Amino acid sequence: MALILQVISSGIYIVGSLSIVAFLYDNLKSLFSIIKAVLEPYFRPNLPKTLVEKFGQWAVVTGATDGIGKEYARELARQGLNLVLISRTKEKLIAVTNEIESQYNVKIKWIVVDFAKGREVYDQIEEELNGIDVGILVNNVGMIHDPETLDKVSEDTLWDLLTVNMGSVTMLTRKILPQMIGRRKGAIVNLGSSSELQPLPNLTAYAASKKFITHFSKGLEYEVADHNIHVQLVMPNFVATNMNAYSDKVRQGGLLFPNAYSYARSAVFTLGKTSETNGFWVHGIQYALMKLAPMQIRTYFGNQLFKRLRIEALEHRQKKQNLY
Ligand SMILES: NC(=O)c1ccc[n+]([C@@H]2O[C@H](COP(=O)([O-])OP(=O)(O)OC[C@H]3O[C@@H](n4cnc5c(N)ncnc54)[C@H](OP(=O)(O)O)[C@@H]3O)[C@@H](O)[C@H]2O)c1
Ligand SMILES: *[C@@H]1O[C@H](CO)[C@@H](O)[C@H](O)[C@H]1NC(C)=O
């Protein structure tokens, strides 16, 4: 009897210890690799230091006229990178170009493209990128829809979502990867989301598209490691942007809901230092805590949260309709 109890308790001890080690490893590895990267130059002063030295002179940012993408572009320019901005609206591209050029002495080129159009846009982008050595590709563009059951989301919206959220990341990476491999230099940054942690009913395709980004980034990371190319998965929690402007709570900002500027400053700081990040320390803590819960519970809470957001979104839409 005593022996059985002893076996059981050492079993629990072993499983418990392994779980704790796995939890700490999983959640601290990114932090450790950032610390290592920050300290390394003191011991190896010959290592390239700036993003330009590490990856190259030009950065391409998709969805660069608003929100996180715009602030990624601004921060990369601050660090001396020339930019290629890509999004749908010419006027916004010109405005952002002028804004950043007035702040920093970098070259900026822009490309008008609607990623929802699918296959046809990539040859155009390739042509316009001709002669540009892309050091950093930021696959930021992404879209969401008001929370709704799949049968109520229009087919057009679903096609757009799949094409923009997954197609652009895959195909733009495919276009630019060969030149990076040729130079044995480069970084690919993919904006996923902490919504990849569990399914989100009523945002089913969105959450699934972000899970795609996770696996795409992780697979690619191993594929290109030998070519000295850095792949980084960035998974924000809520950032106060147009994407969730309907929510007063998110828009008000605060520690949980950084604005795009603070978010991008923090996320770009991790570029080249870790292959996986939530980009912002509070989001990192939130993500680690969420991961502690079993999937079913995460799904339950995710569902409750978005149910509330759905109501906010509907009210917001109603108000907007009443205005016009
Ligand atoms: N905000 C958050 O809380 C949050 C959380 C987790 C993950 N993310 C991810 O972070 C990324 C950026 O989100 P955000 O909140 O910054 O978005 P946002 O504020 O809505 O900005 C989207 C940007 O993409 C461009 N764009 C949209 N659709 C496009 C299309 N079909 N073709 C080309 N450009 C297009 C928009 O410019 P135009 O309208 O001029 O085209 C705009 O510059 C997304 O991948 C999103 O999933 C965001
Ligand atoms: C999803 O949206 C529908 C309305 O389209 C709503 O009635 C339902 O409560 C929502 N379901 C979940 C699981 O949030």
Side-chain angles (χ1 to χ4, degrees):
M1 190 61 193
L3 185 67
I4 293 177
L5 278 181
Q6 210 175 1
V7 169
I8 291 176
S9 70
S10 30
I12 291 174
Y13 175 80
I14 291 169
V15 172
S17 310
L18 286 178
S19 309
I20 291 170
V21 170
F23 176 78
L24 291 178
Y25 174 74
D26 205 28
N27 291 292
L28 294 178
K29 65 176 191 296
S30 171
L31 184 63
F32 283 139
S33 72
I34 291 172
I35 293 172
K36 178 173 164 255
V38 170
L39 295 179
E40 218 165 23
Y42 294 102
F43 301 100
R44 300 170 63 192
N46 291 334
L47 284 182
K49 284 187 197 65
T50 63
L51 290 179
V52 171
E53 285 165 0
K54 267 187 210 161
F55 300 123
Q57 191 64 62
W58 285 86
V60 173
V61 183
T62 66
T65 50
D66 250 319
I68 297 171
K70 177 178 170 184
E71 298 306 330
Y72 250 88
R74 192 196 308 279
E75 176 59 14
L76 290 170
R78 192 182 72 83
Q79 301 204 23
L81 278 115
N82 297 329
L83 300 171
V84 180
L85 311 176
I86 311 183
S87 78
R88 278 173 307 192
T89 321
K90 186 175 164 192
E91 294 71 31
K92 282 162 78 182
L93 283 163
I94 294 174
V96 173
T97 299
N98 291 339
E99 199 180 316
I100 297 180
E101 273 179 353
S102 74
Q103 268 184 300
Y104 305 109
N105 184 20
V106 296
K107 287 185 212 138
I108 305 183
K109 187 181 154 72
W110 45 261
I111 306 174
V112 182
V113 140
D114 181 354
F115 284 106
K117 294 234 163 79
R119 298 183 77 120
E120 69 193 61
V121 305
Y122 298 97
D123 288 336
Q124 181 200 336
I125 296 178
E126 185 174 39
E127 228 163 79
E128 305 221 30
L129 288 180
N130 196 3
I132 291 182
D133 288 352
V134 181
I136 301 174
L137 167 62
V138 183
N139 285 310
N140 162 79
V141 71
M143 59 171 281
I144 199 167
H145 55 76
D146 286 349
E148 207 59 91
T149 56
L150 193 74
D151 57 299
K152 302 230 173 57
V153 186
S154 78
E155 289 183 20
D156 282 341
T157 302
L158 287 171
W159 272 120
D160 288 357
L161 187 141
L162 299 180
T163 315
V164 173
N165 290 14
M166 301 190 292
S168 72
V169 179
T170 310
M171 297 319 295
L172 208 51
T173 301
R174 174 66 185 81
K175 280 286 186 214
I176 291 174
L177 200 52
Q179 52 152 295
M180 287 184 173
I181 291 176
R183 286 191 302 277
R184 287 191 55 77
K185 215 175 179 181
I188 295 165
V189 179
N190 297 331
L191 267 288
S193 166
S194 59
S195 5
E196 64 91 52
L197 255 185
Q198 69 287 300
L200 290 178
N202 280 3
L203 283 171
T204 293
Y206 177 78
S209 77
K210 290 302 174 177
K211 190 79 194 180
F212 174 93
I213 301 296
T214 296
H215 282 283
F216 180 81
S217 308
K218 291 280 127 192
L220 191 68
E221 179 189 335
Y222 290 103
E223 271 183 36
V224 299
D226 287 346
H227 298 292
N228 193 35
I229 292 164
H230 176 65
V231 179
Q232 188 186 42
L233 168 64
V234 181
M235 296 174 289
N237 220 321
F238 286 103
V239 179
T241 69
N242 280 342
M243 202 175 247
N244 37 48
Y246 60 80
S247 168
D248 291 336
K249 205 157 189 153
V250 175
R251 212 173 21 182
Q252 273 159 19
L255 202 51
L256 298 183
F257 311 120
N259 60 34
Y261 172 77
S262 319
Y263 183 81
R265 275 295 288 249
S266 159
V268 174
F269 174 77
T270 71
L271 176 47
K273 301 187 174 81
T274 176
S275 62
E276 185 182 323
T277 178
N278 299 103
F280 187 72
W281 65 276
V282 187
H283 289 183
I285 294 172
Q286 283 179 307
Y287 188 80
L289 292 179
M290 288 195 288
K291 263 200 303 196
L292 272 179
M295 174 72 91
Q296 216 174 346
I297 295 180
R298 295 206 295 265
T299 309
Y300 174 80
F301 281 110
N303 196 0
Q304 292 303 315
L305 173 67
F306 277 95
K307 249 189 187 155
R308 258 183 291 149
L309 287 177
R310 176 169 186 278
I311 296 169
E312 271 198 85
L314 289 180
E315 284 172 358
H316 184 79
R317 209 194 305 163
Q318 202 87 45
K319 264 190 245 158
K320 245 176 41 192
Q321 272 162 2
N322 291 345
L323 276 180
Y324 301 112

